[in-house]
PDB file of all heavy atoms in Angstrom:
ATOM      1  N   VAL A  51      80.836  20.732  12.555  1.00  0.00           N
ATOM      2  CA  VAL A  51      80.145  19.661  13.239  1.00  0.00           C
ATOM      3  C   VAL A  51      79.320  20.392  14.377  1.00  0.00           C
ATOM      4  O   VAL A  51      79.904  21.186  15.198  1.00  0.00           O
ATOM      5  CB  VAL A  51      81.096  18.684  13.961  1.00  0.00           C
ATOM      6  CG1 VAL A  51      80.226  17.653  14.609  1.00  0.00           C
ATOM      7  CG2 VAL A  51      82.026  18.027  12.845  1.00  0.00           C
ATOM      8  N   PHE A  52      78.007  20.362  14.346  1.00  0.00           N
ATOM      9  CA  PHE A  52      77.194  21.169  15.143  1.00  0.00           C
ATOM     10  C   PHE A  52      76.250  20.374  16.052  1.00  0.00           C
ATOM     11  O   PHE A  52      75.544  19.515  15.598  1.00  0.00           O
ATOM     12  CB  PHE A  52      76.272  22.249  14.378  1.00  0.00           C
ATOM     13  CG  PHE A  52      77.162  23.119  13.495  1.00  0.00           C
ATOM     14  CD1 PHE A  52      77.547  22.715  12.144  1.00  0.00           C
ATOM     15  CD2 PHE A  52      77.729  24.274  14.007  1.00  0.00           C
ATOM     16  CE1 PHE A  52      78.331  23.568  11.349  1.00  0.00           C
ATOM     17  CE2 PHE A  52      78.546  25.077  13.120  1.00  0.00           C
ATOM     18  CZ  PHE A  52      78.878  24.772  11.872  1.00  0.00           C
ATOM     19  N   ASP A  53      76.136  20.806  17.305  1.00  0.00           N
ATOM     20  CA  ASP A  53      75.062  20.326  18.198  1.00  0.00           C
ATOM     21  C   ASP A  53      73.694  20.940  17.713  1.00  0.00           C
ATOM     22  O   ASP A  53      73.587  22.154  17.553  1.00  0.00           O
ATOM     23  CB  ASP A  53      75.277  20.742  19.605  1.00  0.00           C
ATOM     24  CG  ASP A  53      76.455  19.868  20.257  1.00  0.00           C
ATOM     25  OD1 ASP A  53      76.542  18.700  19.801  1.00  0.00           O
ATOM     26  OD2 ASP A  53      77.016  20.373  21.141  1.00  0.00           O
ATOM     27  N   ALA A  54      72.735  20.122  17.509  1.00  0.00           N
ATOM     28  CA  ALA A  54      71.451  20.657  17.221  1.00  0.00           C
ATOM     29  C   ALA A  54      70.445  20.660  18.390  1.00  0.00           C
ATOM     30  O   ALA A  54      70.589  19.799  19.296  1.00  0.00           O
ATOM     31  CB  ALA A  54      70.842  19.800  16.137  1.00  0.00           C
ATOM     32  N   PRO A  55      69.496  21.472  18.327  1.00  0.00           N
ATOM     33  CA  PRO A  55      68.456  21.352  19.420  1.00  0.00           C
ATOM     34  C   PRO A  55      67.630  20.065  19.135  1.00  0.00           C
ATOM     35  O   PRO A  55      67.748  19.563  18.094  1.00  0.00           O
ATOM     36  CB  PRO A  55      67.481  22.694  19.219  1.00  0.00           C
ATOM     37  CG  PRO A  55      67.827  23.116  17.799  1.00  0.00           C
ATOM     38  CD  PRO A  55      69.271  22.612  17.573  1.00  0.00           C
ATOM     39  N   ILE A  56      66.897  19.595  20.130  1.00  0.00           N
ATOM     40  CA  ILE A  56      66.147  18.432  19.957  1.00  0.00           C
ATOM     41  C   ILE A  56      64.884  18.593  19.106  1.00  0.00           C
ATOM     42  O   ILE A  56      63.782  18.881  19.590  1.00  0.00           O
ATOM     43  CB  ILE A  56      65.712  17.804  21.260  1.00  0.00           C
ATOM     44  CG1 ILE A  56      67.028  17.712  22.269  1.00  0.00           C
ATOM     45  CG2 ILE A  56      64.992  16.467  21.223  1.00  0.00           C
ATOM     46  CD1 ILE A  56      66.602  17.115  23.559  1.00  0.00           C
ATOM     47  N   SER A  57      65.221  18.746  17.868  1.00  0.00           N
ATOM     48  CA  SER A  57      64.232  19.224  16.874  1.00  0.00           C
ATOM     49  C   SER A  57      64.402  18.377  15.564  1.00  0.00           C
ATOM     50  O   SER A  57      65.018  18.989  14.663  1.00  0.00           O
ATOM     51  CB  SER A  57      64.334  20.761  16.612  1.00  0.00           C
ATOM     52  OG  SER A  57      64.133  21.464  17.771  1.00  0.00           O
ATOM     53  N   GLU A  58      64.002  17.223  15.567  1.00  0.00           N
ATOM     54  CA  GLU A  58      64.278  16.364  14.386  1.00  0.00           C
ATOM     55  C   GLU A  58      63.645  17.037  13.029  1.00  0.00           C
ATOM     56  O   GLU A  58      64.206  16.957  12.007  1.00  0.00           O
ATOM     57  CB  GLU A  58      63.779  14.916  14.515  1.00  0.00           C
ATOM     58  CG  GLU A  58      64.591  14.203  15.505  1.00  0.00           C
ATOM     59  CD  GLU A  58      64.255  14.437  17.013  1.00  0.00           C
ATOM     60  OE1 GLU A  58      63.368  15.223  17.180  1.00  0.00           O
ATOM     61  OE2 GLU A  58      65.010  13.908  17.936  1.00  0.00           O
ATOM     62  N   ASP A  59      62.566  17.533  13.144  1.00  0.00           N
ATOM     63  CA  ASP A  59      61.865  18.181  12.027  1.00  0.00           C
ATOM     64  C   ASP A  59      62.778  19.332  11.537  1.00  0.00           C
ATOM     65  O   ASP A  59      63.056  19.328  10.334  1.00  0.00           O
ATOM     66  CB  ASP A  59      60.518  18.702  12.427  1.00  0.00           C
ATOM     67  CG  ASP A  59      59.660  19.368  11.264  1.00  0.00           C
ATOM     68  OD1 ASP A  59      60.162  20.495  10.918  1.00  0.00           O
ATOM     69  OD2 ASP A  59      58.835  18.871  10.906  1.00  0.00           O
ATOM     70  N   ALA A  60      63.194  20.302  12.428  1.00  0.00           N
ATOM     71  CA  ALA A  60      63.976  21.423  12.038  1.00  0.00           C
ATOM     72  C   ALA A  60      65.370  21.010  11.518  1.00  0.00           C
ATOM     73  O   ALA A  60      65.948  21.573  10.593  1.00  0.00           O
ATOM     74  CB  ALA A  60      64.148  22.376  13.142  1.00  0.00           C
ATOM     75  N   MET A  61      65.868  19.847  12.122  1.00  0.00           N
ATOM     76  CA  MET A  61      67.252  19.329  11.660  1.00  0.00           C
ATOM     77  C   MET A  61      67.223  19.025  10.184  1.00  0.00           C
ATOM     78  O   MET A  61      68.026  19.340   9.328  1.00  0.00           O
ATOM     79  CB  MET A  61      67.653  18.212  12.480  1.00  0.00           C
ATOM     80  CG  MET A  61      68.084  18.570  13.893  1.00  0.00           C
ATOM     81  SD  MET A  61      68.019  17.170  15.142  1.00  0.00           S
ATOM     82  CE  MET A  61      68.902  15.908  14.206  1.00  0.00           C
ATOM     83  N   VAL A  62      66.119  18.253   9.856  1.00  0.00           N
ATOM     84  CA  VAL A  62      66.004  17.819   8.444  1.00  0.00           C
ATOM     85  C   VAL A  62      65.651  18.991   7.561  1.00  0.00           C
ATOM     86  O   VAL A  62      66.259  19.153   6.439  1.00  0.00           O
ATOM     87  CB  VAL A  62      64.922  16.714   8.320  1.00  0.00           C
ATOM     88  CG1 VAL A  62      64.798  16.252   6.810  1.00  0.00           C
ATOM     89  CG2 VAL A  62      65.277  15.483   9.164  1.00  0.00           C
ATOM     90  N   GLY A  63      64.717  19.916   7.965  1.00  0.00           N
ATOM     91  CA  GLY A  63      64.476  20.950   7.217  1.00  0.00           C
ATOM     92  C   GLY A  63      65.629  21.842   6.959  1.00  0.00           C
ATOM     93  O   GLY A  63      65.871  22.325   5.767  1.00  0.00           O
ATOM     94  N   MET A  64      66.490  22.115   7.871  1.00  0.00           N
ATOM     95  CA  MET A  64      67.655  22.901   7.744  1.00  0.00           C
ATOM     96  C   MET A  64      68.601  22.129   6.706  1.00  0.00           C
ATOM     97  O   MET A  64      69.316  22.931   5.987  1.00  0.00           O
ATOM     98  CB  MET A  64      68.276  23.315   9.036  1.00  0.00           C
ATOM     99  CG  MET A  64      69.434  22.319   9.489  1.00  0.00           C
ATOM    100  SD  MET A  64      71.017  22.888   8.971  1.00  0.00           S
ATOM    101  CE  MET A  64      71.116  24.333   9.966  1.00  0.00           C
ATOM    102  N   ALA A  65      68.686  20.867   6.857  1.00  0.00           N
ATOM    103  CA  ALA A  65      69.553  20.212   5.965  1.00  0.00           C
ATOM    104  C   ALA A  65      69.209  20.425   4.442  1.00  0.00           C
ATOM    105  O   ALA A  65      69.911  20.630   3.523  1.00  0.00           O
ATOM    106  CB  ALA A  65      69.638  18.714   6.184  1.00  0.00           C
ATOM    107  N   ILE A  66      67.776  20.384   4.229  1.00  0.00           N
ATOM    108  CA  ILE A  66      67.217  20.541   2.903  1.00  0.00           C
ATOM    109  C   ILE A  66      67.688  21.965   2.354  1.00  0.00           C
ATOM    110  O   ILE A  66      68.040  22.113   1.221  1.00  0.00           O
ATOM    111  CB  ILE A  66      65.671  20.362   2.889  1.00  0.00           C
ATOM    112  CG1 ILE A  66      65.365  18.904   3.321  1.00  0.00           C
ATOM    113  CG2 ILE A  66      65.045  20.673   1.634  1.00  0.00           C
ATOM    114  CD1 ILE A  66      63.948  18.589   3.739  1.00  0.00           C
ATOM    115  N   GLY A  67      67.361  22.932   3.212  1.00  0.00           N
ATOM    116  CA  GLY A  67      67.688  24.370   2.817  1.00  0.00           C
ATOM    117  C   GLY A  67      69.138  24.534   2.511  1.00  0.00           C
ATOM    118  O   GLY A  67      69.601  25.173   1.468  1.00  0.00           O
ATOM    119  N   ALA A  68      69.994  23.776   3.290  1.00  0.00           N
ATOM    120  CA  ALA A  68      71.423  23.950   3.114  1.00  0.00           C
ATOM    121  C   ALA A  68      71.833  23.260   1.851  1.00  0.00           C
ATOM    122  O   ALA A  68      72.650  23.659   1.044  1.00  0.00           O
ATOM    123  CB  ALA A  68      72.160  23.273   4.234  1.00  0.00           C
ATOM    124  N   ALA A  69      71.038  22.142   1.453  1.00  0.00           N
ATOM    125  CA  ALA A  69      71.410  21.298   0.248  1.00  0.00           C
ATOM    126  C   ALA A  69      71.089  22.199  -0.883  1.00  0.00           C
ATOM    127  O   ALA A  69      71.784  22.144  -1.953  1.00  0.00           O
ATOM    128  CB  ALA A  69      70.698  20.101   0.172  1.00  0.00           C
TER     129      ALA A  69
END
Side-chain angles (χ1 to χ4, degrees):
Chain A
V51 182
F52 302 91
D53 283 333
I56 305 179
S57 298
E58 288 81 5
D59 181 291
M61 284 157 55
V62 179
M64 94 92 71
I66 296 163

